Amino acid sequence: MSELGELLTAVAQGKAKPVYLIEGDEYLARGAARELSQALVPEKDRALNLVTLDAGAGAREVVSHLVTIAMFAAPKAVVVEGADAFAEEVDAERELARARELWQGKRQRDAARRLRGAGWGAADLAFGARGAPAAAKWRKEIGAAPDESDKGWLSELSSWAEEQRLSAPPHDLEALVTAVERGLPPRTHLILVAESLPPKHPLVRLASTIGAHLRRRAERRGRGIEALDISEVVAEALRPHGKKLARDAELELKQRLGDDLRLIAAELEKLAVHAGERAQISRADVEAVVAPVREEEFFALGEAVSEGDLGRALQLFHDELRRKANATAVALPFLGGVAGALRRSLADHARYSTLPAARGARELRYDEFQRGVFPDVEAELSGKGQKVPNPYVAYLGYRRARRRPRSHWRRALVLCAEADAALKSGADQRLLIERLLTEVCA
């Protein structure tokens, strides 16, 4: 495994490799690819000799750029982003969750790339639309199925992909592998950027044998988010501004944003401007500028709604408003999250009301639930081909289902349907969501 500094030094010494594979965090991996490509191709030649492609274009498109001789006698580099699209076996649940996260982060192209590996077109991704694949087909062909709450963003993604005329990449990886093995034109270099490829993948083998393989990840020195090392991102973002980040400000920043390095870098730029003439960014600056957007916030919404915690639910909604500064961009996705949480609670209530071990007057302890109830839950979901949750997650669902009658969850879903119709009819979006949360959590 190589280090970026070593590769840059080798390039400066005229010892560049024909192929480079850079895996890791999207922000760091793309940054390393940028540095490497700029070291390979002189600035005056980059307009014609530096090509950046999306892996979704397909391997043959990449090959066509590689075998085309550069117009000028200078090094040529072809950077291929999203090389994960060339992986034949993926964790379907992880890919779907990652696509959801990317779409919510306004990274439309990256989100679409995650869901095109099954050979589906843009229209196939509109889960819930007439003629689009149902959940059963998703599970059969993709390996995972969306929830009802995913309909909104998948419909938006489908429309966006159609507007961009994106199509599923053809399965022609062998063409790329063969072209590299035969030998690229003189002074031509391929740089592949991916979050992760299987260890035995042909591109990993190529990089390890005739090229260089680099991993760029923010290290963790423990289990919690506070153990994430973001020093490299902080230095790169704040160096041009001549500023530093206080230790407690860094901890607060990670608590609010999680491990999305790209988002952390963007927020650091805002913080540098907000700090003005001060040389150090404080925790107060972070609290004033950065809204919580960690993945845990989406789980927190489901918990708040299911527990009837109105204060927490309103706080999460206001955090989303503060982050996007546009109620239109928040209301429908947030409503989808509320409806999804209510459907899960209604399903839990139906499930546990039919299991004899779960119907007793006394609420079971976790160890009792694990022994007497969870095996039945596991058998039911496995028989339906559905994902089996962690036992403790199932236990929390059991506890919440006991605390409200079935009529409450059904009535709350009716309120969500009414809110959806009102939102699409021009109602005040902020006021409507606040009223919905008040009624649902009452």
Side-chain angles (χ1 to χ4, degrees):
M1 195 66 62
S2 305
E3 294 293 336
L4 180 59
E6 296 174 358
L7 297 180
L8 294 174
T9 300
V11 170
Q13 295 173 348
K15 301 176 181 178
K17 302 286 187 179
V19 57
Y20 297 89
L21 171 60
I22 306 174
E23 291 183 279
D25 298 305
E26 180 261 349
Y27 177 80
L28 292 178
R30 287 188 180 179
R34 183 176 59 253
E35 285 189 61
L36 188 56
S37 63
Q38 291 175 354
L40 287 165
V41 183
E43 184 175 2
K44 62 184 178 63
D45 299 315
R46 288 173 194 161
L48 295 174
N49 285 12
L50 178 55
V51 181
T52 300
L53 300 172
D54 187 292
R60 293 189 183 277
E61 180 70 15
V62 176
V63 171
S64 71
H65 285 277
L66 285 171
V67 299
T68 301
I69 304 298
M71 182 172 293
F72 300 110
K76 177 180 178 179
V78 178
V79 180
V80 181
E81 297 180 344
D84 310 76
F86 295 135
E88 297 178 355
E89 296 182 7
V90 298
D91 183 333
E93 291 283 356
R94 178 180 178 275
E95 292 297 295
L96 180 59
R98 182 63 174 147
R100 183 188 302 114
E101 178 185 333
L102 290 168
W103 184 261
Q104 291 165 344
K106 303 300 181 184
R107 291 164 57 188
Q108 292 95 334
R109 186 171 296 276
D110 289 336
R113 181 197 300 137
R114 290 280 174 173
L115 294 180
R116 280 154 45 214
W120 288 4
D124 296 319
L125 302 178
F127 179 65
R130 180 176 296 179
K137 189 170 183 180
W138 276 77
R139 277 191 289 271
K140 180 180 179 180
E141 298 193 15
I142 301 288
D147 295 327
E148 289 292 313
S149 59
D150 291 321
K151 286 183 177 179
W153 72 269
L154 282 172
S155 176
E156 293 174 3
L157 184 150
S158 174
S159 299
W160 182 87
E162 285 188 328
E163 289 176 4
Q164 300 296 316
R165 298 183 180 179
L166 297 182
S167 59
H171 297 293
D172 51 7
L173 176 61
E174 186 178 350
L176 177 58
V177 174
T178 301
V180 176
E181 288 179 335
R182 285 178 178 172
L184 300 178
R187 306 177 77 190
T188 298
H189 311 276
L190 171 63
I191 303 175
L192 300 157
V193 183
E195 286 192 8
S196 178
L197 285 173
K200 296 183 179 180
H201 192 277
L203 294 178
V204 176
R205 176 179 55 79
L206 277 179
S208 301
T209 54
I210 64 172
H213 189 185
L214 174 66
R215 284 204 175 94
R216 299 280 285 167
R217 297 189 186 280
E219 294 184 8
R220 284 182 182 266
R221 299 186 175 90
R223 297 184 61 184
I225 190 63
E226 66 278 355
L228 179 69
D229 181 5
I230 62 171
S231 56
E232 186 174 345
V233 180
V234 172
E236 182 176 333
L238 297 184
R239 188 181 297 114
H241 302 279
K243 298 187 184 300
K244 294 184 178 180
L245 185 67
R247 177 59 181 164
D248 58 347
E250 179 184 322
L251 290 173
E252 183 65 24
L253 186 67
K254 289 188 286 189
Q255 288 292 337
R256 288 171 178 258
L257 301 181
D259 58 2
D260 188 333
L261 301 184
R262 183 172 177 269
L263 182 57
I264 288 173
E267 293 299 315
L268 284 168
E269 293 287 344
K270 297 178 188 177
L271 288 166
V273 174
H274 182 267
E277 298 298 322
R278 287 182 283 114
Q280 187 175 70
I281 296 171
S282 67
R283 179 173 180 174
D285 293 322
V286 176
E287 292 173 340
V289 173
V290 182
V293 294
R294 292 178 60 188
E295 183 179 357
E296 286 86 342
E297 298 296 321
F298 298 103
F299 295 104
L301 172 62
E303 184 178 12
V305 169
S306 301
E307 295 282 355
D309 188 343
L310 176 60
R312 179 62 173 150
L314 286 172
Q315 179 188 346
L316 291 167
F317 178 56
H318 293 153
D319 283 342
E320 279 290 285
L321 286 176
R322 187 166 147 222
R323 178 169 73 94
K324 296 182 179 177
N326 184 348
T328 303
V330 172
L332 276 174
F334 197 88
L335 174 60
V338 173
L342 293 171
R343 289 190 187 93
R344 286 190 292 273
S345 294
L346 180 60
D348 285 340
H349 191 284
R351 175 179 299 114
Y352 296 118
S353 63
T354 61
L355 297 178
R359 291 167 56 185
R362 180 178 65 85
E363 184 173 285
L364 300 175
R365 299 191 309 271
Y366 175 53
D367 59 331
E368 295 172 324
F369 174 86
Q370 227 176 347
R371 290 194 307 268
V373 178
F374 186 70
D376 293 334
V377 175
E378 190 173 21
E380 175 197 341
L381 295 177
S382 298
K384 295 178 179 179
Q386 298 178 7
K387 183 179 179 181
V388 178
N390 177 280
Y392 190 69
V393 172
Y395 177 64
L396 294 178
Y398 154 77
R399 291 179 59 188
R400 286 194 288 264
R402 289 177 56 86
R403 295 175 185 176
R404 302 284 182 96
R406 185 180 184 184
S407 58
H408 167 79
W409 305 117
R410 297 183 67 177
R411 172 60 183 158
L413 277 174
V414 171
L415 292 173
C416 285
E418 293 172 350
D420 181 69
L423 283 175
K424 294 173 180 176
S425 301
D428 183 301
Q429 306 199 19
R430 176 169 181 161
L431 181 61
L432 190 144
I433 293 296
E434 290 176 343
R435 184 173 63 193
L436 172 69
L437 292 175
T438 301
E439 293 177 332
V440 166
C441 295

